[in-house]
Amino acid sequence: MEIKKEAGLGRGPQVDRRELEQIHQFSRKELTAEEVYTFSVRLCDNEVDRDGERFSPQALETLAEKFVGKSGIFDHDWSARGQTARIYRAEVVREPEATTRAGDPLCYVKGYAYMLRTEANRDLIAEIDAGIKREVSVGCAVERSVCSVCGEDIRNREKCRHIRGRTYNGKLCWAELDGVTDAYEWSFVAVPAQREAGVLRKRWGVNGEKRLNGAQWEKLRREAELGRRYLKELRSEVVRLAMLSDDTLDGALFGGIADKLEEPELLELRRVYRRRAEARFCPEPQLR
């Protein structure tokens, strides 16, 4: 199974002798520090992404090994004309203080890339420094895509009926990507799938917002579920009161209208229709 996942990049290390020695694994001649430009790339992590998938920690370890020497291109266009940079070393970075939505410590593959300081690359280097070119996506192959709920291959609809992103008995469903067999390339892209796309920053998420851990995500999910349930019950009550107060209303049509309304409008309608229903069905006193 071929996988493409997006992450982000940041400024890399200062080019010293040790870095140059690692770069020289891939160059035909020895380059000087003035000839190369380096930057770091957050290739992929073990967080559940917008596609409802995540790499297992074991998969990240394998990817860190396989991405060394791989080319950086644009939009996964496998053309030599787009070759721009190359990963010369990679490592798995662990952030034990940050927790994923799956409930385990966050870790990600950090790659170190180099490119030549040439006239042709001048604009690209400027765009990287300015944060314009920063999202990247990886292309790799995995053997398994395992459902977090039932443990079956999520692509096999005969064995697994769960939908990524949905919650079953309080457990979020995602596809665990494991068994990495190859890493093809990494690309500059426009729209990332992984939420940590952007310049590498510790413990901070997109747009400077602090990263939420697993317990915080679960708390937000429960609160959102309570809100959805409250609105559903409120809409049902408004429709019931409307039907009681006016026999001429089309229940299905009015129900469709109520589904589009939010709490302030629903509360006002409930007040109006409750008063009408009480006036229409005012009970007679048993004693006179």
Side-chain angles (χ1 to χ4, degrees):
M1 179 175 64
E2 184 177 341
I3 298 293
K4 292 185 174 66
K5 289 296 169 187
E6 292 77 10
L9 58 86
R11 292 299 305 273
Q14 194 71 23
V15 184
D16 55 21
R17 182 181 298 275
R18 183 176 65 89
E19 299 294 327
L20 285 174
E21 288 175 354
Q22 293 175 318
I23 291 172
H24 291 158
Q25 302 175 77
F26 309 103
S27 62
R28 288 191 59 192
K29 70 168 188 174
E30 291 192 0
L31 302 170
T32 65
E34 291 73 23
E35 291 179 292
V36 297
Y37 172 83
T38 63
F39 55 95
S40 57
V41 186
R42 185 181 181 127
L43 293 168
C44 46
D45 57 36
N46 64 331
E47 180 60 280
V48 181
D49 62 25
R50 295 186 180 98
D51 294 331
E53 297 176 331
R54 79 165 197 154
F55 289 103
S56 71
Q58 296 78 15
L60 295 180
E61 294 285 351
T62 306
L63 286 170
E65 298 175 1
K66 291 186 177 296
F67 266 112
V68 175
K70 296 303 187 293
S71 293
I73 55 179
F74 293 90
D75 297 317
H76 300 291
D77 182 7
W78 290 11
S79 170
R81 292 189 300 273
Q83 284 183 295
T84 302
R86 192 174 297 276
I87 300 291
Y88 62 91
R89 71 180 173 96
E91 61 185 351
V92 176
V93 178
R94 291 174 172 82
E95 294 187 350
E97 71 277 14
T99 307
T100 68
R101 296 179 69 189
D104 56 350
L106 176 72
C107 54
Y108 63 90
V109 176
K110 182 177 182 179
Y112 297 85
Y114 79 96
M115 58 191 296
L116 290 177
R117 289 184 179 273
T118 63
E119 186 66 24
N121 288 337
R122 184 185 62 181
D123 290 344
L124 177 57
I125 291 173
E127 289 178 336
I128 291 173
D129 284 343
I132 305 302
K133 288 287 191 300
R134 75 178 208 174
E135 289 81 14
V136 300
S137 168
V138 300
C140 63
V142 300
E143 293 178 334
R144 297 180 295 279
S145 180
V146 181
C147 174
S148 63
V149 177
C150 65
E152 298 289 346
D153 190 328
I154 204 166
R155 298 164 296 177
N156 188 336
R157 304 318 295 170
E158 293 182 358
K159 293 184 177 181
C160 176
R161 297 286 184 177
H162 301 111
I163 306 299
R164 291 174 297 177
R166 294 187 181 178
T167 302
Y168 299 88
N169 295 324
K171 184 174 180 60
L172 178 66
C173 176
W174 70 81
E176 186 98 349
L177 305 176
D178 202 4
V180 176
T181 59
D182 200 0
Y184 307 132
E185 44 77 18
W186 55 280
S187 296
F188 287 99
V189 296
V191 181
Q194 295 197 336
R195 293 176 173 83
E196 290 300 315
V199 176
L200 290 173
R201 291 170 296 185
K202 190 173 183 180
R203 296 191 64 186
W204 293 87
V206 180
N207 298 326
E209 296 178 1
K210 193 166 184 179
R211 182 181 182 80
L212 299 178
N213 59 34
Q216 291 169 324
W217 275 113
E218 181 62 22
K219 182 174 182 292
L220 288 177
R221 186 196 64 77
R222 290 197 302 267
E223 291 175 352
E225 182 61 31
L226 286 173
R228 286 191 291 269
R229 193 180 309 160
Y230 163 71
L231 283 177
K232 182 179 179 180
E233 293 174 353
L234 181 58
R235 290 182 177 116
S236 297
E237 185 180 6
V238 168
V239 172
R240 180 181 63 83
L241 291 171
M243 295 302 99
L244 286 174
S245 60
D246 191 344
D247 294 333
T248 64
L249 285 177
D250 185 320
L253 178 61
F254 190 80
I257 295 173
D259 287 341
K260 297 179 175 61
L261 302 178
E262 295 301 325
E263 184 188 33
E265 295 89 353
L266 291 169
L267 290 175
E268 178 62 19
L269 286 177
R270 184 178 68 175
R271 184 187 66 81
V272 172
Y273 283 119
R274 176 178 288 171
R275 181 172 297 177
R276 291 182 182 178
E278 289 173 352
R280 183 178 182 186
F281 296 99
C282 181
E284 294 184 3
Q286 292 179 326
L287 300 176
R288 296 186 180 276

